[in-house]
Each structure stands twice: as C-alpha cells, then as structure tokens.
Amino acid sequence: MRKSDPIAVQLADARKNQILDAATQVFADRGFHAATIKDIAQQAGVADGTIYLYFKTKADLFVGILDRLNETERRAVDLSAAVPTEADFREFFATYMRKRLSLLEENLRTFQAVIPELLQNRELRERYLTEILEPSFRIAVPLIGKRLQPALKRKVSVELAVRTIPSMVLGMLILRMLGDPTVEKSWAELPDLLTTMLFDGFWSQSQRGKKK
Amino acid sequence: MRKSDPIAVQLADARKNQILDAATQVFADRGFHAATIKDIAQQAGVADGTIYLYFKTKADLFVGILDRLNETERRAVDLSAAVPTEADFREFFATYMRKRLSLLEENLRTFQAVIPELLQNRELRERYLTEILEPSFRIAVPLIGKRLQPALKRKVSVELAVRTIPSMVLGMLILRMLGDPTVEKSWAELPDLLTTMLFDGFWSQSQRGKKK
Amino acid sequence: MRKSDPIAVQLADARKNQILDAATQVFADRGFHAATIKDIAQQAGVADGTIYLYFKTKADLFVGILDRLNETERRAVDLSAAVPTEADFREFFATYMRKRLSLLEENLRTFQAVIPELLQNRELRERYLTEILEPSFRIAVPLIGKRLQPALKRKVSVELAVRTIPSMVLGMLILRMLGDPTVEKSWAELPDLLTTMLFDGFWSQSQRGKKK
Amino acid sequence: MRKSDPIAVQLADARKNQILDAATQVFADRGFHAATIKDIAQQAGVADGTIYLYFKTKADLFVGILDRLNETERRAVDLSAAVPTEADFREFFATYMRKRLSLLEENLRTFQAVIPELLQNRELRERYLTEILEPSFRIAVPLIGKRLQPALKRKVSVELAVRTIPSMVLGMLILRMLGDPTVEKSWAELPDLLTTMLFDGFWSQSQRGKKK
DNA sequence: TATGAATGAGGATTCATTCAT
DNA sequence: TATGAATGAATCCTCATTCAT
C-alpha cells in the first residue's frame, strides 16, 4: 500500500484511533505501568502484535494519546479564540469556563490516563510545562493582569495570580478523578460557581468587612 | 530481641523511617510502578533483602508512606483544631491556609509519591475518598455554609462550594508538582492570595460591576 | 572452652541433638528444600545463627540426621547380631522382623525426613547404595541363599530374591509415610504377617494347586 | 487462533508434552524444589517464558505430570480389566504383575519425579491416598480376601494382607529408584519371582516345617 | 496487514549465610 | 556461645517486543 492511497490512510487512522481508545481506557483504569499490551489489545479487539504495526513502543501509545489530546485542544482553542470582549468580560469568562470544563469532561478518561503519568515522569513533566503550560500563561498574563483587583495586584505577582484559575479547574478535575460524587454530579454548575466566586467573592459581606 | 526491648524497637523504627524516606524519594521521582526495590534499597543505603525485614511487599511500602502521612496529618490537625473564631473569620481562614499550605510543602515529596498512585488505583481512591475527603467535607460544610455569600448560596449547593477551597489548594499543589517555578517560588504568598481572592474577589471593580 | 572439657562437650552434644531433632521434624513435615533455617531455629528454640555454630551448612544438618540414624542402626544391629540359629530359623526371622520394624517405627520421622531427599539426590543415593545397602546385601545373600525354596532358586538369582525382604519392609514404610491408616494401625502385626507369608505362602491351597 | 482450531490444539498439546517431558526429567534428577525453571526450559529447548504459556506456575507443571500419569494409568487399567479368571488365578496374577511392573518401568522417570514430592507434601499425600490408593484397595480386598490362605486369614486383617502386594512392588520400585543395579537388571524377572513367592512360599520346605 | 507463540531481560521476593554486638 | 539484623545471590514469574506464518 502506498502512503498516498487515501482509503488505506483512512483505514490506518481508524485502526490507530481504535487502539488509542483502548489504550486510553486501560491506562485510565490501571495506570500506564500496570497496563499491559495484552490488556490493550484485548480491549481493542486486536492481536498484541497488531499494536506494534501502528505504534513503535508502549511509550509511543502514551504519546499518541497526548497528541490526540493536543489536537482536540487545538480545535477547541480555535473556537474560543474570540477576542476577550472588553465590554462584558464577565460573560466572556463564564463562557470560556463553560467551554473549558465541558472539554475536560468530554476527555475525562484521557486525563485520567495522562495526568498520573505526567506527574511521575520528569521528562513528560518538563515537556508539558514548557510546551503547554508556559505558553498559555504567557497569553493569559497580560489578559488577566490588567483586570486584577488592586488589592491582589499589590500583594502578589500577576504571574502567581494567573495560576489561580487553572489551578481551581485542575483541582476540581482531580477531585472528580478521585471519584468525588458531588463534583461529578454538579460539574455543569462549576462555571457559574467559579465565575461568581471570582467576580463577587466567596464569603458573605459580614465576613469580608472584618478585614483590618 | 524481644519486641518489648525499647532500644531495639527504636532502632527498628529508625530503620523503617530510613527505608520509607528512600521509598518516598524514589516513588516521587519515578512513580510506584517504575520504582524498583533495588532503587529504593540503594537510596536507603541498605541491601534489597533488608527492606523485606521491615515491609512484607512493595505495596506495603506504599501503605507505610500513607500511614506516616496520616500520622503527620493527625498531629497537625490537633494543633489547628482551634475553634473557628467568629470574631475574625478572615484571620482564622488565613491562618488555616498558612498552616495547611506549609504542611503540604513540608511533605511535598510524599504527596508526589502518593497522589499519582491514588489516581490510578481504584481501591486506594475509594479508601481516600471515604476515609479522608468525605469526613473532612462533613466538618467543613456547616462551617462554611453559613458564611457563604448569598449569590453563591442561591446558585450552587453548599456541598459543591465547599470543594472550591481544597480544589484550589490541590490545584496549586499539582502545578507545583508539575514543576511550575512560579508556584514553587511564591508558595509562601499563596495563603494571602487565596484569602484576598475569596474575601475580596479576584477581578477589579470595573469588571465586577458588569454583572447581569 | 577446650574440646576436652567433658561438660562442655556434653552441652554441645545436647544442643546438637536439640537442633537435629528440630531439623528432623521440619524436614519430615516440609521436605529438605522447603524447610528454612528459620523454621528449624524456631522449632529448636534457638536463633538462626546458633545453628551455624554446630553445623556448617544446611546440608550438614541433613548429614547430621543421617549420621545419627546410622548410629542408631549400629547399636540396634549389635543386639540382633545373634547368629542365625539353624534350629529355628523361622523364629529367628520373625524376631529379626520385629526388631527391624519397631526400629523403623521409632524413627519414622527421621525416615520421613531422609528418604525423599535420598531419592532426589544422586550423590546421597550412591552413598546410601554403596555404604548401606550393598554391604547388608553381601551379608544377607549367603544367609538367605541356602534357605531359599528350590523353585525360586531355579528361577531367579539369589541376588534378586534377597531384595524381596527389604523391599517389602520398605514398601510398607512408604505406605505408612503416605498416611495409610491401616498400615499405621496394624504395624505391630506386620512381622507375623510377613513371616507367615514367606514361610507358608500367601494364597490358599486351592489356588496354589493350580500351578502347571 | 481459536481454541477450536484442531491443528493449533495439537500443536499446543505437543508443546505441552515436550515441556512435561523435560520437567519429568529434571524433577526426577534433582527433585521438584531443586529444579529450576531455567533447567526445565533448557531441557525442553524453549525459553523460560514459554513454559508459562502452558503452565501457570511451577507447581502446575507438577500437577501436569500427575495428570498425565493418571491418564496413562487409566488407559492401562482398561486393558487389564479382564475378569480375574477363577480357573487359573495364578496365571491371572502373574499376568497382572507383568503388566503392572512393565507399566512402572515405562514410567520410571515419572515416578522418580513424583514420589519424593508425594512423600513431602501433605496435601498431595492426602489426595493420593483418597483418590488412588483407597479406591484400588476397595477393589482388591474382596478379590484377594477369599483367596487368602487360612493361616494368614486367622492372623491378620484382610485389609492389611492386601497391602503386602503393592508394598512389595513399591519397595522394588524404590530400590530401583535408589539405583540398585540388581533390581534394574532383573526387573523382568520380578513378576515370576513375586508370583512364585506368594503361591509357593519363599523359604525351603525344611525351614517351613520348623514352625511351632 | 494481522496474528499470537516465542523470547528473554528485568524485577519482586526468599533464604542460606555472615558478623557485629 | 548466642543472637538476629543484614546481606545479596538465586529464582519464579511477567510482559514488552519480535517474527514466522
């Protein structure tokens, strides 16, 4: 088969995805290391050897999952790349949160497969940091910096303040991955919760007034 | 040696801790599964077989780390069990955050060793959920519920709102575990950041007014 | 302590026997290879290291058991070394059987510890063959040869015929070691059974008459 | 390959037998515990891991040998199930002995592999006793009981008398396993020897007359 | 392409033996 | 002498990867 044969390419892509789906499933359930190629082959309904026709090593399977996730991300970002409307920033933020959180939810299994390994593998960690996190912080810092409330601005670096938002999302994701039923059940309410909290504060007035 | 010999017991405890320290280090670096007993033994400066004098299996090493963490937690909680002063709740909250975050920092390697495995192992996940998370939420819900700002209260369940705080902390912890240098450098500023943000809001006034 | 100190020697001998007793017990229960020095030390009520003060290796423990058995044997043989009285050979034989079988019974655990290893270890097998079996056959052949019934003599070599007797005893011992309750219960009747059978035949007359 | 594929099944069976042959050989030479998987794999001409495609554990290899032996036994029994002819019982007995002893000889290595372990393992011992020995005794007792010579019948239980025959065979087997060259060389003469001995007695007339 | 039997390197665990106390 | 903690070689078993079909 020539690589240019479009039908063959599509077939190969389909098979690749079938295998990545299986790998995602199994990695999410057992973790990268505990998962065996046999497990994945069974889940995918193919023979062990077949996997090696599409991925050179087990580690490549993991990279394949990461790549697919990045692809998803890229497509999603394209949509949300609408300019942060000055006029109604609150609405913009809420919309962004909705999109992001539903994207997370759709790819929950993938994150479950990917995050633990990310935390355990120095190389992956570094790649993720420089290739994903830092670029997105570079975009966010100016966007957020100028809208930060003064008291905060005085106290902490914008760099740190920016981290608050992804860290809240990440935190909720982790709680959900840990199996917290409340977070799972109320996932759809999170965008509103986070928006309100960030724009209007968390604690009741009386509590706030106490400050110095 | 009789079990009751106090010197022998102390020696055994010291050796056990020496091995747990090594295991924490190695698990944090490579993850539970990728870590080998040889790695751990080398790190601890003992022979492979010695580890098995103190822990029945590799999995027991992990449980040993969890147990030690719980113990640390227990001691810490005792200190912070001070009543949530009505008078200055903001200060109480800030203090609590300072304590909690510095506890996390002190045990960073331990969390790095423990969390990925927690995310990958269904049994551990469930144990953590029912034994640690749920009880602490049960304590937090009434404490926090009555102080929640009205707009939030209307919109989301207290149960969900409560999750915001640990999820922010957890999120920052994860960012730090991923190696984000900003979070690492500014860890000490987090309590203040989080307090201000929750009590005074995150976005500047102009942005808030825009609501609805 | 000087080797010549008689009290010290006696103490050492007692300790040695205590350890050999334990080893016999454990080897009989689990077999030589499955038995651990820890098992034996526990059974003997001493520390692991102590065993090595009396026996250089685990294999030496086994040899120690064999030696003690040979010693027992030697003492027993001395007693039964009475000349095979021509006059009442039947009684002589019955007596010999009684002695031999009760000797076996007294040392049942020892045999249980020793025989399986004897069957599995080429070197031990050869030593046993040349040092124990062949010498005793050399004694038995002339004794038995001249008393063998003519039909047998014509048919088979005396060498082979001689083997019948130890093989019957050995067979019963094995059945007993296998746990056959009948053999265990009726062990005391065996000398009479074997004597009658060898002197008077096993099958009833009518069956015998059928011959050719 | 589907399990129903007859060619694949045959291949798998052949491989299984090849491995069992090797295991029999090695267990017979060194005993179950001293034998290593490497030894067996080498003897079989396969890699270590291959063995585990056909047997779950080393212990399963042993059970596989036992099963094959039972199968051999079953096939042999079918043949010899001819009714014990009243007319010429002596001939029947001699034939039976010939068959049994040649069966033992053919499977000598297997017995050498199996018996020591049988003697060392309580569970196997008990299984062998209740599943093999006791059933065959239940068959033999009535058959032999009515043909036992009167003097014996008076003296000992039929149950015990019956044990004489297998114990003789077993004894000879053990002597052969110990490497006795006479028993090995003259194995073919044993059926005749045992038949004559049981039907005509062992000792010469003059010796027998001496009784009481 | 697809298969799955075969491979063998690698890792957890055991245990005979040593040695400092 | 006696102890038992420490050692590390040896072994069972797993599983990523290869390759003949």
Side-chain angles (χ1 to χ4, degrees), chain D residues 13 20 23 27 37 41 44 55 60 62 81 98 109 117 122 141 152:
Chain D
D13 267 16
L20 283 181
F27 287 166
I37 290 290
F55 299 91
D60 270 14
F62 187 81
R98 264 190 297 276
R109 296 302 271 168
E117 194 56 23
R122 181 187 306 270
V141 160
L152 264 182

Side-chain angles (χ1 to χ4, degrees), chain A residues 153-203:
Chain A
K153 232 173 187 162
R154 243 175 292 123
K155 286 188 171 165
V156 303
S157 72
V158 179
E159 282 290 344
L160 184 61
V162 166
R163 264 82 176 162
T164 330
I165 296 167
S167 99
M168 266 187 337
V169 174
L170 195 51
M172 284 292 179
L173 181 65
I174 301 282
L175 283 184
R176 177 142 188 205
M177 281 169 53
L178 284 170
D180 184 310
T182 301
V183 175
E184 184 181 347
K185 213 168 42 212
S186 316
W187 191 258
E189 303 173 30
L190 279 178
D192 226 23
L193 165 57
L194 297 181
T195 305
T196 305
M197 181 181 135
L198 291 177
F199 280 81
D200 307 331
F202 186 80
W203 303 111

Side-chain angles (χ1 to χ4, degrees), chain C residues 149 168 198-199 201-202 208, chain D residues 149 168 198-199 201-202 208:
Chain C
Q149 70 123 311
M168 266 186 338
L198 291 176
F199 281 79
F202 185 79
R208 295 202 216 164
Chain D
Q149 69 122 312
M168 264 186 342
L198 291 176
F199 280 82
F202 185 80
R208 295 200 215 164

Side-chain angles (χ1 to χ4, degrees), chain D residues 5-51:
Chain D
D5 179 343
I7 293 184
V9 167
Q10 242 177 337
L11 273 174
D13 267 16
R15 185 52 54 101
K16 227 171 158 167
N17 275 315
Q18 168 194 9
I19 292 170
L20 283 181
D21 287 344
T24 303
Q25 209 57 234
V26 179
F27 287 166
D29 279 353
R30 311 205 214 315
F32 177 79
H33 276 96
T36 71
I37 290 290
K38 220 171 206 66
D39 290 338
I40 297 170
Q42 240 145 29
Q43 173 80 22
V46 300
D48 297 19
T50 304
I51 290 177

Side-chain angles (χ1 to χ4, degrees), chain C residues 78-98:
Chain C
D78 288 354
L79 297 179
S80 76
V83 249
T85 336
E86 263 324 308
D88 199 345
F89 181 65
R90 183 179 185 129
E91 194 44 43
F92 165 79
F93 180 81
T95 306
Y96 176 76
M97 277 296 162
R98 265 190 296 276

Side-chain angles (χ1 to χ4, degrees), chain C residues 99-131:
Chain C
K99 274 186 189 150
R100 169 112 331 234
L101 284 165
S102 81
L103 191 67
L104 286 184
E105 184 164 49
E106 281 159 26
N107 297 284
L108 196 61
R109 297 300 273 166
T110 305
F111 285 106
Q112 207 138 11
V114 154
I115 289 179
E117 194 55 22
L118 222 55
L119 293 173
Q120 284 171 341
N121 186 313
R122 183 188 305 271
E123 195 204 320
L124 282 176
R125 229 148 51 201
E126 280 162 8
R127 257 184 65 190
Y128 181 74
L129 199 66
T130 57
E131 293 178 19

Side-chain angles (χ1 to χ4, degrees), chain C residues 1-6 9:
Chain C
M1 177 228 305
R2 271 163 303 135
K3 286 228 181 74
S4 51
D5 176 346
V9 167

